[in-house]
Amino acid sequence: MKLWLPFVKSAPTVAVVRLAGTIAAASRGSAALNDAGLAPMLERAFRRKKPAAVALVINSPGGSPAQSSLISARIRRLAEEHEIPVYAFVEDVAASGGYYLASAADEIWVDQHSIVGSIGVISAGFGFQDLIARHGVERRVYTAGKSKSMLDPFQQEKPEDIARLKALQEQIHEGFIDHVKARRGARLADDDDLFTGEVWVGAKATEVGLADGVGHLVPKMKERFGDKVRFVPYGMRRSLFQRIGSQVFGGLTAELEERALWARYGL
């Protein structure tokens, strides 16, 4: 039993929220990071017992631009509503959408080996037109609207489809850049490679302004809030079906896509 004494100030707490994995819209059995899945956890972290700060522990190679934006917007909204500072601590990687999440924090701290950045947009796929032709398969597509079959993987690529895709990517890329500039401001260096999809490691990320320094969760929070600071971890609540569903129903394609995201950074 804990004895409560009036007028005795309790130790400050830091809510620790772990954001690990690829970022994607929810699907059956999915363990991916998405706004709908993270919302209850984030709400509890910011609202419960008024923490001194919220620490985001991030390890993500990225994924969906929309989900990255939705999660980041929720973090900022809660931080401003409750007037709570947010600190991000990067483990292996915070790249692409993972860096989008990190930049929702007021400060970003990295390990000396953390990979940070990749501010860009990528689309990848396969072309099967030669494969089906070799096996005598005829592709039949009927559309109302000339762009409905854009980038059909079973048909030859069309220059107009590629141009359209690149135009869409440019719009998303501009939104990503605007977000980083708004969050990092004058801390960003005048570096031509900053928004090209390039990545930096450890202290180099600090030199270009993508991080505030090399530092780890516990010592950094003790430095800010004292040695008696308490850490309250928050994780996603997943049902038994969700815990095993991604293995049973996730599908080979989804698994390969996730592995490809991590593989870009040698992980």
Side-chain angles (χ1 to χ4, degrees):
M1 177 181 292
K2 183 178 180 181
L3 180 63
W4 178 79
L5 296 175
F7 311 114
V8 176
K9 188 176 181 181
S10 59
T13 63
V14 172
V16 181
V17 176
R18 184 169 180 79
L19 302 176
T22 55
I23 305 167
S27 60
R28 187 168 70 167
S30 175
L33 301 174
N34 54 73
D35 184 55
L38 291 172
M41 176 180 68
L42 290 171
E43 295 285 341
R44 291 195 306 272
F46 278 94
R47 296 179 188 277
R48 197 174 177 188
K49 298 182 179 180
K50 183 69 175 180
V54 170
L56 308 175
V57 180
I58 297 176
N59 198 4
S60 174
S64 164
Q67 292 299 323
S68 301
S69 178
L70 288 168
I71 297 166
S72 296
R74 184 179 297 277
I75 291 169
R76 291 313 314 156
R77 183 169 64 252
L78 290 168
E80 291 164 10
E81 284 178 2
H82 299 282
E83 299 181 337
I84 295 174
V86 180
Y87 301 89
F89 294 89
V90 180
E91 294 186 330
D92 298 275
V93 59
S96 195
Y99 186 75
Y100 202 116
L101 299 185
S103 57
D106 299 298
E107 295 180 10
I108 300 173
W109 297 89
V110 298
D111 180 78
Q112 62 179 329
H113 302 301
S114 297
I115 298 172
V116 174
S118 190
I119 301 171
V121 181
I122 185 172
S123 297
F126 301 92
F128 299 101
Q129 70 276 2
D130 292 336
L131 176 66
I132 63 173
R134 191 179 304 123
H135 291 277
V137 179
E138 181 184 0
R139 175 69 165 163
R140 296 173 180 175
V141 180
Y142 310 96
T143 68
K146 64 179 182 179
S147 297
K148 288 297 291 183
S149 64
M150 186 178 80
L151 297 174
D152 187 325
F154 296 100
Q155 294 183 343
Q156 191 72 34
E157 277 190 311
K158 302 174 184 176
E160 59 269 28
D161 288 354
I162 298 172
R164 175 61 175 156
L165 174 62
K166 289 187 175 181
L168 296 174
Q169 289 178 319
E170 287 295 330
Q171 293 177 48
I172 297 171
H173 192 199
E174 287 173 10
F176 194 170
I177 293 171
D178 289 344
H179 170 75
V180 173
K181 286 183 175 180
R183 296 299 307 148
R184 300 298 297 171
R187 289 174 287 188
L188 294 173
D190 184 14
D191 191 307
D192 292 338
D193 291 329
L194 204 55
F195 302 121
T196 63
E198 182 61 85
V199 296
W200 288 263
V201 176
K204 293 293 184 181
T206 303
E207 292 178 13
V208 297
L210 295 180
D212 294 284
V214 173
H216 298 157
L217 172 64
V218 173
K220 184 57 63 176
M221 292 296 91
K222 284 187 175 182
E223 178 186 308
R224 294 293 170 86
F225 302 106
D227 289 338
K228 294 184 178 180
V229 64
R230 296 188 301 112
F231 298 94
V232 181
Y234 289 86
M236 292 177 64
R237 294 176 178 175
R238 300 174 62 208
S239 66
L240 177 62
F241 176 81
Q242 288 176 315
R243 289 196 296 270
I244 66 173
S246 59
Q247 300 175 20
V248 179
F249 300 107
L252 179 60
T253 301
E255 183 179 351
L256 290 175
E257 288 177 351
E258 181 173 350
R259 289 185 179 182
L261 278 172
W262 287 105
R264 288 179 197 159
Y265 311 104
L267 302 171

